[in-house]
């Protein structure tokens, strides 16, 4: 068996998420079925992160073990051919060591959340960003966000469906910046809880709207209670942008 | 009658173009029908440029004359409500002088052409960029492009359907730059011929692929013959990004 690592880009709109779900199409199922058609094997795809329905990826990292003798470039090309017309693309493929694991070897994950802050409906970015029609103060959001950076119990910002062993995580970065009528939230950590990024962005949006004082974000964190959550931002603004592995790059 | 100026953003994918066509849906028809539902009037929409089927706009400028007494903000909101679910949005609306004309007063137009240069199919940018799977040399494209900047007879880069009085235009800018696997072509002029941007980009792509020497672009221009055209790039990579008017900003 050879372990192949893949870099996946996908539009999450038509999927129920990256990982297989009982109830609908998933990126994992699409890739595994394409692998089956190419190799005749029933390989399992493991990925650096899980994503919700509607969430996108610019560079998800995944792996699968394949017995068939095939060069990485050919496997990438065949996967892309078999994945059409679904909006999933393999942008890189390489052979990795047998103990390299897309999920368990991953030491850093980065997400981006895109908000458009304007009255007009979205056209080119429909399903690609969260439209907030009332004015947001991005500077206030950035300042409030800094209370979340560091090692904390993120229970407040965790889905009830979260499967993580512990709600304690170290958030390395949570930056909010405005570029015209776009507001971009960039965040990085070793790992995140389920819904953590969307919960943080949703809560920060209340600060941006002036409905919450900045200190209330720290208070919600300290509460350690999902009921203290301000708001869970919708999935279509969220992008998985990077997974980091030892030796590849420092997080 | 009051003249209203609109800034329009649209995804050109489902349209046969901005201007009304006999044979299919157009942005103009959508906006005029929305205006009719709001005002009961048969206003005509005039725009800074024409765009082909599949071409997008980030900030097209247009105008229409309306008799109904309505504030610009309310008109914008009503238009956006009536345009749903079509991918056309009015991002700004203001009252202008009766002699301000979206097309004839326009003294500068800017376009962007987006290429993704990679093997993998497009996912999030499907219908939003031109996928070129063989390696492109963006620097060579940029150097070759400079032969087109300035005042020239652009007959080579002109559609047979072009309605312009003269093929002589002054190209202010044609810059090609690479950002990762994206190649962006930025161009500006007082006005362009029909298909001019796509024809220039398509021809430059031949230089980028190494199929044409850089000097051949200048030779094709000098030929003044559509038959000397290298290639017409597809519409989905093209964006109308800006229209400039006297007093608003220098071009």
């Amino acid at each position: 068996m050879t372990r192949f690592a893949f870099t996946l880009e996908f539009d999450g709109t038509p999927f129920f998420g990256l990982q297989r779900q009982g109830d609908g199409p998933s990126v994992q199922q699409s890739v595994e079925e394409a692998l089956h058609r190419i190799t005749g094997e029933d390989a399992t795809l493991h990925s650096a992160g899980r994503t919700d329905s509607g969430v996108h990826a610019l560079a998800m990292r995944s792996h699968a073990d394949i017995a068939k003798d095939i060069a990485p470039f050919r496997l990438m090309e065949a996967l892309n051919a078999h994945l059409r017309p679904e909006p999933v693309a393999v942008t890189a493929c390489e052979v990795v060591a047998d103990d390299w694991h897309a999920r368990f070897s991953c030491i850093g994950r980065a997400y981006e959340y895109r908000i458009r802050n304007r009255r007009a409906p979205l056209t080119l970015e429909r399903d690609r960003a969260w439209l907030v029609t009332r004015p947001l103060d991005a500077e206030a959001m950035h300042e409030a966000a800094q209370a979340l950076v560091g090692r904390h119990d993120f229970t407040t910002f965790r889905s009830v469906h979260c499967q993580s062993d512990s709600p304690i995580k170290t958030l390395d970065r949570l930056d909010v910046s405005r570029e015209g009528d776009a507001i971009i939230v960039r965040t990085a950590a070793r790992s995140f809880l389920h819904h953590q990024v969307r919960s943080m962005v949703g809560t920060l949006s209340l600060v941006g709207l002036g409905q919450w004082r900045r200190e209330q974000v720290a208070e919600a964190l300290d509460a350690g209670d999902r009921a203290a959550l301000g708001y869970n931002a919708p999935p279509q603004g969220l992008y998985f942008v990077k997974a980091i592995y030892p030796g590849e790059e420092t997080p």
Side-chain angles (χ1 to χ4, degrees), chain A:
Chain A
M1 298 289 260
T2 304
R3 182 157 291 186
F4 289 89
F6 308 107
T7 303
L8 301 181
E9 178 190 277
F10 58 84
D11 168 9
T13 311
F15 298 106
F16 277 55
L18 167 55
Q19 62 286 355
R20 268 185 190 269
Q21 308 275 349
D23 50 357
S26 63
V27 175
Q28 182 184 354
Q29 184 183 342
S30 292
V31 175
E32 289 176 352
E33 287 178 1
L35 282 169
H36 181 83
R37 288 197 295 277
I38 296 162
T39 65
E41 302 169 41
D42 291 318
T44 298
L45 190 79
H46 298 271
S47 298
R50 298 164 64 90
T51 61
D52 291 319
S53 179
V55 172
H56 315 294
L58 299 181
M60 177 58 70
R61 295 293 293 277
S62 308
H63 83 260
D65 294 331
I66 307 285
K68 181 184 171 79
D69 183 26
I70 185 168
F73 182 78
R74 274 211 49 220
L75 181 57
M76 178 179 83
E77 296 276 286
L79 276 169
N80 283 328
H82 283 278
L83 283 164
R84 282 176 201 269
E86 296 186 68
V88 181
V90 182
T91 60
C93 176
E94 62 268 343
V95 171
V96 290
D98 290 348
D99 63 351
W100 187 96
H101 195 288
R103 179 175 168 204
F104 298 119
S105 303
C106 182
I107 54 169
R109 292 160 174 92
Y111 286 89
E112 209 174 278
Y113 194 98
R114 301 183 188 170
I115 299 170
R116 290 298 290 274
N117 190 27
R118 68 180 199 185
R119 294 293 309 173
L122 300 181
T123 68
L124 290 154
E125 289 194 282
R126 191 176 287 180
D127 297 326
R128 305 276 186 276
W130 178 27
L131 175 66
V132 177
T133 56
R134 284 174 296 159
L136 287 169
D137 180 342
E139 282 183 36
M141 291 169 69
H142 179 76
E143 284 178 32
Q146 301 322 303
L148 302 177
V149 174
R151 183 176 160 88
H152 302 287
D153 178 334
F154 282 97
T155 295
T156 303
F157 300 93
R158 177 187 200 182
S159 159
V160 291
H161 302 294
C162 183
Q163 293 166 12
S164 179
D165 289 336
S166 162
I168 296 169
K169 297 285 176 190
T170 301
L171 191 67
D172 296 324
R173 177 187 188 196
L174 186 59
D175 292 327
V176 184
S177 59
R178 175 178 281 277
E179 297 164 17
D181 70 6
I183 292 174
I184 314 288
V185 183
R186 295 180 175 89
T187 187
R190 184 178 179 97
S191 62
F192 289 89
L193 299 168
H194 187 216
H195 277 190
Q196 186 181 343
V197 181
R198 290 168 54 192
S199 296
M200 294 191 302
V201 171
T203 298
L204 292 175
S205 75
L206 297 180
V207 175
L209 292 169
Q211 296 178 3
W212 274 33
R213 287 172 292 105
R214 297 171 202 192
E215 307 76 49
Q216 281 178 271
V217 175
E219 291 163 18
L221 176 70
D222 291 342
D225 178 1
R226 182 77 181 163
L229 177 68
Y231 186 77
N232 200 26
Q236 73 272 14
L238 186 59
Y239 295 74
F240 185 98
V241 295
K242 197 171 196 176
I244 297 163
Y245 296 87
E248 287 194 353
E249 192 174 345
T250 49

